[in-house]
Amino acid sequence: MLASEGAVPVGSAWAFEFTWDGLRALAYLTPDRVRLVNATERLITHTYPELAAMAGIAERHGPLLLDGKIVALDQLRRPSSALLRQRSSNPAPSETLRASVPVQFYLADVLYLDGRPTVDLPYHRRRELLGELDLTGSGAVLPPYFLDTDGQTVLHAAQRHGLPGVVAKRLDSTYQGGRRSKAWVETVPRHTQRVVVGGWQPRPGEPETVEALLVGVPVAAGLRYLGRITVGLDARATRALAPRLTGLARADPPFTEPPPEADARGARWLMPSLVGEISYRRQEDDGLPRHAGWLGLVTDAHPASVRGPLAPDGEPVPPDGPGRSVESVDQAASSELASLDEAVRLAQAEVRALRAQISPHFVYNALTTIASYVRTDPPRARELLLAFAEYTRYSFRSGAEHTTLGAELANADRYLGLEGARFGERLQVKRDVDDGLDDVPVPFLAVQPLVENAVRHGIEGTPRGGTVTISARRQGELCVLTVSDDGLGVDPARLTPALTDVRDRLRSAPGPAAAMEVAAGPDSGTTVTLRLPLDPGRLDR
């Protein structure tokens, strides 16, 4: 599936991801094999042998088909197309090259998982499935994505950290293989640069028609070659160029270093007197523009007025201008690296916290359900909307670390009421709680994720539906809480992130230790048991 180019969309129907420089590829994973295929369906597995470790994902989750990008990171941990070219040009990379330019696989989508295709699922669900994969030691990375965030904010963050742009994806979009869809919108700001034309190539069979321009920028030693431009040379542009080329021919290239042989083949060289303007997406590490296109001639400009990405002496301009020492540039790079690492760490922590609080999958479905009742049953819509407001108010309350079992169960009841409106008779609920347990202290949002797990991973995937049972019993000095379903069952060895989060927070809570146990079997449902100390003094409520 390909993204359309356009402005950053607005509204809550979109999620946003960073654009990463890399090689788009599909990864076919089985426990004993990895196959990597590029956009032209060419097998490229042997070019990136370290990614064979992704077979470990299939060992843990079954056969998968993943969409993503192969990337090579620079010193600031940003994907670098220049570094990746070093790997892509070596089908059989040496151990030295693999060590100096390692690659990773940045996940973007999942098309097949656990024995069934996922392309018809909405994007937000496919993204959640990616988040549930165990990627340990695989060389695969799941980059962050952003919900309920202004897209321009994400774009500005990308620009601050030297990333090309952002991709917006509709939360309800299915995966449309091989198609360019408006459900995915890529925004990559373009920059402009004046250049000097040093040569041109004719179109095959049309010797007087310009197919490509060879351009550069002035430096102290002469004209530095920037690249071959073909984009933007339509009929109107070539008509404007044709009369200006007359009388400028010369026998040899005007550049300080000859262009690559592939660029120079059949070229007609010019005196460096014509100035034009190009646009490009980003500048490579060596100063060359990437994805450049011709904008047109600048007829009133002299070549000496052109300023390029290099300083007059031919050395790269330091980030804050000439005069800085190599040491200060290295320190700035180290500082930027530390800042970027910290920013990514904080963003990941925030995403984990938001996912622990409330699922975008649930929010989307709840609001869709409420909207469906507005015309058919307005009183029911108002009732559900009030329940949703109470649910979100509780889930997003600030500064909450612990609460009571009674408050948690009340919020779980709100959640089940909203899901019951969606599933109808497919979702049945049983509740059996001993009296006097409302004040038992528990970590904030320890119960609701267990209930959501029962609905999503036990009931939602079964056509017949099922029953969620919540019980709480006093056993000595403990409160034993169980949340069970009679649905599909989950592997206790592979807990969902929500259950893992609850287990970790129970372990880290102050006072006597609480415990969580998970029992499940194929098609026999899942039971999660929490053993909570009754002593209300163990937490400062």
Side-chain angles (χ1 to χ4, degrees), residues 23 97 104 166 190 194 206 212 236 261 278 307 330 401 425 459 480 498 501 526 531:
L23 176 65
L97 179 59
Q104 295 178 322
V166 298
R190 298 187 71 87
R194 288 191 176 184
E206 301 179 44
R236 181 179 179 181
E261 182 179 348
I278 63 171
R307 295 288 183 267
D330 288 341
E401 293 184 7
E425 295 183 354
I459 307 302
V480 179
D501 178 71
T526 302
R531 300 186 184 278

Side-chain angles (χ1 to χ4, degrees), residues 388-411:
F388 181 79
E390 289 295 323
Y391 174 85
T392 55
R393 185 179 298 114
Y394 178 85
S395 299
F396 284 131
R397 71 183 193 180
S398 61
E401 293 184 7
H402 7 82
T403 183
T404 63
L405 180 60
E408 286 287 289
L409 291 175
N411 201 50

Side-chain angles (χ1 to χ4, degrees), residues 219-302:
V219 295
L223 190 64
R224 179 177 184 262
Y225 182 65
L226 275 192
R228 178 176 181 269
I229 309 296
T230 58
V231 176
L233 291 172
D234 54 18
R236 181 179 179 181
T238 55
R239 282 197 302 269
L241 278 165
R244 303 298 301 274
L245 302 178
T246 304
L248 297 180
R250 57 181 282 172
D252 56 344
F255 303 105
T256 54
E257 294 184 3
E261 182 179 348
D263 286 5
R265 189 176 297 116
R268 302 185 186 183
W269 306 115
L270 300 172
M271 298 294 294
S273 60
L274 292 181
V275 175
E277 191 170 49
I278 63 171
S279 69
Y280 62 95
R281 284 191 174 183
R282 64 172 298 175
Q283 186 175 303
E284 299 282 17
D285 297 338
D286 56 7
L288 300 180
R290 185 167 183 237
H291 298 300
W294 180 253
L295 295 179
L297 287 169
V298 182
T299 57
D300 58 349
H302 190 278

Side-chain angles (χ1 to χ4, degrees), residues 368-449:
T368 301
T369 300
I370 293 170
S372 71
Y373 278 99
V374 168
R375 293 286 185 272
T376 60
D377 191 347
R380 178 65 167 151
R382 281 191 292 270
E383 175 188 333
L384 292 172
L385 196 57
L386 287 173
F388 181 79
E390 289 295 323
Y391 174 85
T392 55
R393 185 179 298 114
Y394 178 85
S395 299
F396 284 131
R397 71 183 193 180
S398 61
E401 293 184 7
H402 7 82
T403 183
T404 63
L405 180 60
E408 286 287 289
L409 291 175
N411 201 50
D413 287 342
R414 298 183 194 106
Y415 169 83
L416 289 168
L418 290 161
E419 289 289 59
R422 179 163 71 102
F423 287 106
E425 295 183 354
R426 288 180 58 217
L427 176 60
Q428 301 296 316
V429 178
K430 294 182 179 179
R431 194 176 188 275
D432 188 7
V433 178
D434 285 352
D435 293 336
L437 296 178
D438 283 352
D439 291 333
V440 173
V442 293
F444 180 62
L445 285 179
V447 176
Q448 191 272 332

Side-chain angles (χ1 to χ4, degrees), residues 56 93 113 148 216 245 264 280 300 329 334 357 366-367 382 454 458 496 526:
L113 173 65
D148 300 321
L245 302 178
Y280 62 95
D300 58 349
V329 174
S334 298
Q357 287 178 3
L367 293 176
R382 281 191 292 270
T496 64
T526 302

